[in-house]
Amino acid sequence: MGRARPAARRSHSPDPAAHPAPPRSRTRTLALLGALVAAVAAAAAARAWALLADAQAAARQESALKVLGTDGLFLFSSLDTDQDMYISPEEFKPIAEKLTGSVPAASYEEEELHHDPSEETLTIEARFQPLLTETMTKSKDGFLGVSRLALSGLRNWTTAASPTAVFAARHFWPFLPPPGQELGQPWWIIPGELSVFTGYLSNNRFYPPPPKDKEVIIHRLLSMFHPRPFVKTRFAPQGTVACLTAISDSYYTVMFRIHAEFQLSEPPDFPFWFSPGQFTGHIILSKDATHIRDFRLFVPNHSETSNMEVDIGYIPQVNTQVPLPRWIQLRGLALSPISPPMQSRPSLKMELEATGPSVPSVILDEDGNMIDSRLPSGEPLQFVFEEIKWHQELSWEEAARRLEVAMYPFKKVNYLPFTEAFDRAKAENKLVHSILLWGALDDQLSLEDDAKCSGRTLRETVLESPPILTLLNESFISTWSLVKELEDLQVQQENPLHRQLAGLHLEKYSFPVEMMICLPNGTVVHHINANYFLDITSMKPEDMESNAFSFSSTFEDPSTATYMQFLREGLRRGLPLLQP
């Protein structure tokens, strides 16, 4: 066996080169392992924190469910947009605006009417005569025992908010008729959005919504009376309607009717609504709305003083007794879970009128140089305006009637005063279609609290249905009357025939509305109560006990079909009894 040579033996000396360092991959592995351990620990901590947060959220949800119930928690969650179980002021803002009608001042920036120095301006003056509450016979100290504080908004409203205001002529462009509009044909400047099917707007509001587009000029004009006008009333009919009453080569005369109201109170007081029956007026403007020749807006003082149960006061300037609706006297407070609004319907002096035609703000000479618009004395230059030659004209009375029909389509039938209707029926040998009710048929507020709103329902459904309008105009003389009017007529001694007519009607009357078909002598040959009428029209045909008011396949609307059947039955019973 050979022996190894000494030179061939391995060396055992501590030479560094003999033991190389660990590879770099091992270092990276250790670093990654440490990072992984840290990540797992962080994830575990996060998971633990999430579980804790979930547990806390679940506990809050459970607690909220116990306090609010399912529906309440649903409402709360719909407002809690960030789901932190707290309602911030920003999150609560939509519900606050809904309940109170409050709108931040910034929302009204769009209402501003800017003037261009190069255009004509119009100065308008406001005339306002407040109601004298001391002349109110029943409500001097509030309504139905409510303190005088409840009337503070009305009592403190003694002057116009803006006695004068300057407008640019072009601000009145919403009064221009649509292209092709004919003389006397109404159109809507601000269309109404309510009907018997949509109900009415909330009483519990203090601040009007921001006006838009054509609403802006109406809102600005009404703001001259009071800072909180609502350009749309809470009840139908609402909005602004207009019609052409005169046309020339360069000008229009437009008559208009506005249904608007004012909120006189602010929080923390209860809402107090001031609701004129209407504003009416006219404007004469150039066809491009760059010049206004005349403008006037006012509350008519010729409203009927009806015999509803009312309170009255008067305005010394016009010396007119002022009816307030039965709604105040009998209810006073609206049925509301938030705050009981109250309402006043006096007719008083409210008028806006232009001081003269619109005039240029800047006057230029033939070379385009600016001329001072005032004399050295400070007085404005006097302008001479050409005479307008009208080619087509419509009377004020006829225009007013057409606007009223636009607001109340049921008035396409001519409803005569009670005794006059029977005189006309006798002269024309026709039956009388008579409606007897507690509140005025053409007053949106008087009908608000009638049972089932039956008067308003009739007015806005069957009484404006085209087939019903046609039959009424062809075959009947129509009238509507207040119960109180006929009660007074029944006891008056001057005319026995009128007493008899009233008595025959009252014998058949049941609250709230009774529709009757009568002979010219007052004999009622057929009648139906509005509540019963509404009940049967809500039934299915197969559920009706008799065929006295069976539905007709001719009309899709059961109400129209049933009222048509009522009228035809009246004709069947009454026509043979008419004197030849």
Side-chain angles (χ1 to χ4, degrees), residues 7-276:
R9 295 178 182 176
R10 296 183 178 181
S11 174
H12 295 280
S13 63
D15 185 359
H19 300 280
R24 292 181 179 178
S25 60
R26 186 178 299 174
T27 303
R28 287 198 300 271
T29 300
L30 292 175
L32 290 174
L33 180 62
L36 179 61
V37 171
V40 170
R47 177 61 177 167
W49 178 259
L51 291 174
L52 177 62
D54 289 345
Q56 292 175 339
R60 289 197 297 268
Q61 287 273 351
E62 183 178 357
S63 176
L65 182 62
K66 290 180 180 179
V67 173
L68 301 175
T70 303
D71 293 340
L73 181 59
F74 177 80
L75 175 61
F76 183 92
S77 299
S78 68
L79 297 175
D80 184 22
T81 55
D82 58 7
Q83 301 301 311
D84 64 350
M85 293 302 292
Y86 292 96
I87 302 296
S88 68
E90 193 65 26
E91 290 171 329
F92 187 72
K93 176 183 173 182
I95 198 69
E97 292 179 356
K98 180 71 174 177
L99 292 175
T100 67
S102 61
V103 179
S107 299
Y108 285 92
E109 291 179 357
E110 61 183 289
E111 184 199 349
E112 294 297 324
L113 297 175
H114 301 287
H115 289 182
D116 185 335
S118 65
E119 61 191 0
E120 293 189 5
T121 59
L122 183 74
T123 301
I124 292 181
E125 291 182 344
R127 303 185 184 96
F128 178 81
Q129 183 83 30
L131 175 72
L132 297 181
T133 54
E134 61 268 22
T135 68
M136 298 165 67
T137 59
K138 300 178 183 177
S139 305
K140 296 178 182 178
D141 298 315
F143 297 114
L144 293 179
V146 178
S147 69
R148 293 174 62 91
L149 181 61
L151 291 175
S152 60
L154 180 62
R155 294 180 184 277
N156 295 335
W157 189 24
T158 58
T159 60
S162 300
T164 62
V166 177
F167 298 83
R170 65 175 176 83
H171 292 160
F172 292 85
W173 69 266
F175 290 96
L176 287 174
Q181 196 74 11
E182 297 181 359
L183 188 78
Q185 179 184 3
W187 78 90
W188 290 93
I189 296 176
I190 301 177
E193 299 175 344
L194 300 180
S195 70
V196 68
F197 305 107
T198 59
Y200 54 86
L201 300 178
S202 172
N203 290 311
N204 300 302
R205 295 178 296 159
F206 291 95
Y207 305 106
K212 300 178 181 179
D213 196 36
K214 295 181 180 181
E215 297 175 354
V216 174
I217 183 61
I218 305 297
H219 182 272
R220 182 64 186 87
L221 288 167
L222 297 180
S223 295
M224 294 183 67
F225 294 121
H226 192 277
R228 289 184 297 281
F230 286 70
V231 299
K232 293 181 180 178
T233 52
R234 292 160 292 153
F235 307 98
Q238 56 174 195
T240 299
V241 65
C243 75
L244 282 170
T245 61
I247 302 175
S248 77
D249 290 336
S250 303
Y251 290 90
Y252 294 123
T253 297
V254 175
M255 183 178 176
F256 54 85
R257 174 169 175 158
I258 302 171
H259 284 198
E261 56 189 348
F262 301 85
Q263 176 52 244
L264 305 189
S265 295
E266 288 188 283
D269 293 336
F270 293 143
F272 190 102
W273 292 92
F274 183 86
S275 306

Side-chain angles (χ1 to χ4, degrees), residues 222-520:
L222 297 180
S223 295
M224 294 183 67
F225 294 121
H226 192 277
R228 289 184 297 281
F230 286 70
V231 299
K232 293 181 180 178
T233 52
R234 292 160 292 153
F235 307 98
Q238 56 174 195
T240 299
V241 65
C243 75
L244 282 170
T245 61
I247 302 175
S248 77
D249 290 336
S250 303
Y251 290 90
Y252 294 123
T253 297
V254 175
M255 183 178 176
F256 54 85
R257 174 169 175 158
I258 302 171
H259 284 198
E261 56 189 348
F262 301 85
Q263 176 52 244
L264 305 189
S265 295
E266 288 188 283
D269 293 336
F270 293 143
F272 190 102
W273 292 92
F274 183 86
S275 306
Q278 63 165 295
F279 290 94
T280 191
H282 74 275
I283 182 172
I284 302 175
L285 74 169
S286 63
K287 292 184 176 182
D288 59 0
T290 58
H291 177 67
I292 307 297
R293 184 60 61 91
D294 191 28
F295 177 85
R296 185 176 179 231
L297 175 152
F298 61 97
V299 174
N301 282 327
H302 55 73
S303 58
E304 297 179 5
T305 304
S306 64
N307 287 321
M308 291 184 291
E309 294 185 26
V310 299
D311 197 358
I312 60 172
Y314 72 92
I315 313 303
Q317 183 169 346
V318 295
N319 196 26
T320 302
Q321 287 197 328
V322 180
L324 301 178
R326 164 175 71 89
W327 189 67
I328 296 177
Q329 182 60 26
L330 298 185
R331 290 189 181 270
L333 304 180
L335 301 177
S336 166
I338 305 299
S339 58
M342 299 188 311
Q343 184 146 333
S344 177
R345 285 293 311 277
S347 169
L348 78 173
K349 184 71 172 181
M350 298 180 72
E351 182 178 5
L352 301 179
E353 189 169 17
T355 59
S358 62
V359 294
S361 302
V362 176
I363 305 174
L364 303 178
D365 61 19
E366 296 179 353
D367 299 325
N369 299 316
M370 185 181 300
I371 302 175
D372 194 344
S373 61
R374 292 186 175 274
L375 298 172
S377 62
E379 294 294 322
L381 291 175
Q382 299 298 314
F383 293 87
V384 178
F385 300 95
E386 77 278 12
E387 180 182 356
I388 301 176
K389 295 181 180 180
W390 302 107
H391 303 315
Q392 302 179 63
E393 294 185 76
L394 185 71
S395 70
W396 176 276
E397 292 77 14
E398 177 60 20
R401 187 193 69 81
R402 296 189 184 192
L403 293 180
E404 186 170 37
V405 169
M407 285 287 189
Y408 299 99
F410 83 95
K411 289 196 171 185
K412 292 177 182 177
V413 169
N414 187 18
Y415 285 81
L416 299 176
F418 182 74
T419 57
E420 183 180 335
F422 285 92
D423 292 340
R424 178 78 63 85
K426 183 177 181 180
E428 299 184 12
N429 201 31
K430 286 186 175 181
L431 298 174
V432 175
H433 165 245
S434 179
I435 300 175
L436 183 57
L437 66 169
W438 194 258
L441 191 60
D442 58 355
D443 187 337
Q444 65 267 41
L445 298 176
S446 293
L447 291 177
E448 180 220 352
D449 62 340
D450 281 349
K452 300 185 181 179
C453 295
S454 49
R456 179 184 171 213
T457 301
L458 288 172
R459 182 185 75 200
E460 296 181 5
T461 54
V462 295
L463 293 183
E464 64 179 45
S465 169
I468 300 299
L469 293 172
T470 299
L471 184 58
L472 289 176
N473 279 320
E474 289 178 352
S475 303
F476 295 90
I477 303 299
S478 293
T479 183
W480 66 263
S481 311
L482 299 175
V483 172
K484 191 65 171 64
E485 289 177 338
L486 297 197
E487 288 175 344
D488 291 345
L489 193 62
Q490 190 179 26
V491 299
Q492 62 95 8
Q493 302 298 321
E494 290 78 10
N495 193 317
L497 178 58
H498 291 174
R499 292 205 309 271
Q500 178 185 353
L501 292 173
L504 291 171
H505 260 58
L506 292 171
E507 286 177 4
K508 302 295 184 180
Y509 174 75
S510 294
F511 181 84
V513 182
E514 196 78 23
M515 296 87 77
M516 309 180 200
I517 306 299
C518 311
L519 299 177

